Amino acid sequence: MRSKQGILWAYNLALVALTAALAWHAPPWLAAGWPGTDVVLGFALFQLLVWAFGYPVPSMGIISMERVPQIAALLLFPVEVAAVVNALPALAWPFLSHRYRQGSLAFGAIRAVHNACMIALMTAAAGLVWRALGGTVPLQTLGMGEALAILVAACVLQLVNMLMIGLFLRLDRRDVRRLLGPAYLVSDFLFVPIGVLAALVWTQADAVTGGLFVAFLLMTVVSAHEIVESRRQVQTRLVALDAASSARQAVSGSRRVEDIAERLMSQISALVQYRIAFVALHDAERGEFDVVLQIVDGERAPRFRRPLGQGAAGYVLRTATPLLVDDWASAPRELVEVAVLDPGERPGSVLIVPIRLRGEVLGLISVQHDRPHHYADADKHALIAIAEDIAPVIADARTFQELEDYRIRLETLVAERTAELERAGEERERLLAELRQQSELLQRQSREDALTTLSNRRHFDERIAEEIARARRYGHPLSLALIDIDHFKRLNDAGGHALGDEVLRRFGAMMRGHFRASDLVARIGGEEFAVLFPETAVDGALSSVEQLRTRVALDGPDELAAGHGITLSAGVAALRPDEDRDALMRRADALLYAAKAAGRNAVRAEPAPGDAAGPA
């Protein structure tokens, strides 16, 4: 931006004038004890080295061990010489570091002049305090007085440093309070003692000790850089891992991406001013921009999506290159045609940079201001540096989000499949229950008489064969009774088949309630029934059947068929040794017919010899 650069150059010229005025009154360099060229180059190279291995801070510069050579020069050389020795590397450094000059040679020149003057002035101020407090150069001994004087001089040096940096950032329209935090303000003090030690080694130690100390300093610089870089990488990963672990606390992947966007916007707000700013992620699967976070006039807008082809953001995505529009009024027509502007919106300057990782555009950072010429190349490269730093974090967060989405889809699918299996299991159990019921029904129907629910002829035939075999095996008695309702045909003719069926049902219920549970009661014909008495001699069977006959004769008309006389006839026989089923059935049937021939309503029995059912 021309106006901002103009202000910074005006500030630099004032610093140059002040520095020149102070140098005008300084004694000649050689007379002041100017060191050899090798010493100057050594200090300069060491200064450049600590900057190269420092910890970068966006828009600020770096945190490094620069106080080591600066304090050492202050305590070894006259103040005028120390100011020059410390300032010379600052002229070269912005042109050696692409990141420090934020990708802009013009901004690098501004920083080179500013930093050289700033370091010269703060060294001069600290040196004058050191001299005023009785400090001598070179430093020979370190007592309590010298230590206090060094502490005061270091505080003055740091104070001038912070004031001048703060003024520069203010003129560059940065958020000074957010950039100049306590950690940055006190970090340089940590290395003041090492600078004092370096001065003492310079004046007191021999060449070998001095060389070893320099080697130690170089190793310290490189090691500190590696430690800080490893810590930065670990912190970057921890941000993503912390976002991932928050899913255990019911925080969605989308929420994690929003958290990262908020941290990113916080960094952007400290670097550049804007009226509108947003962070958008590239959703290639849906062909959209996911505008995760947008700030308009200090207010946060709702998250929304936008097609990829719309707006300047789509232009940056297609070209994969940063876009800086110094003055929207003179923006290229192809850009104006695709721009998406609110009614009445008149942007002044626009800056958009892609968030790229290994050639893939993950998203965009966009800032916009109403005033033209508000952003410069230095701002563009500052945002590029931030985008480079945040890209791995966003990639990790998106990976975790995709994994979480996949996990959710998988859990949903598993839940659906589980529900289907449960439904299928329930249906299977229902069908099995129905099959069991049908099987039980069929089994019961295969053994029961449908009308009376007594055993049917098939079941009777199976049981009598089993009981005969058991009686023979164990020598137990077995008796059989055949029972017939007398004149049942007359009952049907008089009352119809409905009455006959009702009589049969009631008679079956009466028989079921009369005989023992161990006795088998079966309907083997129309009105003919059979009762099998396991382990029962003929007299016991005869007594039980006779009791049934008496009950039917006395209570039958009321209990079985009111208004109709109901009687029964029966024949009872016991199993004889070596007799089969047919023979037993014929004898019981013959006894039944004998009872009918005798006038019905009677029970006839033919006792087996010795009342024994099987062989002795």
Side-chain angles (χ1 to χ4, degrees), residues 2 8 15 42 44 70 77 108-109 262 266 302 315 332 347 370 382 427 490 526 538:
R2 290 187 293 271
L8 291 176
L15 293 181
Q70 291 172 358
F77 310 125
E262 289 176 357
S266 177
Y315 176 85
D370 290 344
E427 181 67 14
R490 295 178 184 175
V538 68

Side-chain angles (χ1 to χ4, degrees), residues 263-282:
R263 289 194 291 270
L264 177 58
M265 190 63 72
S266 177
Q267 287 183 299
I268 295 171
S269 300
L271 296 179
V272 296
Q273 297 175 345
Y274 56 83
R275 191 181 76 83
I276 300 175
F278 67 80
V279 177
L281 299 183
H282 177 206

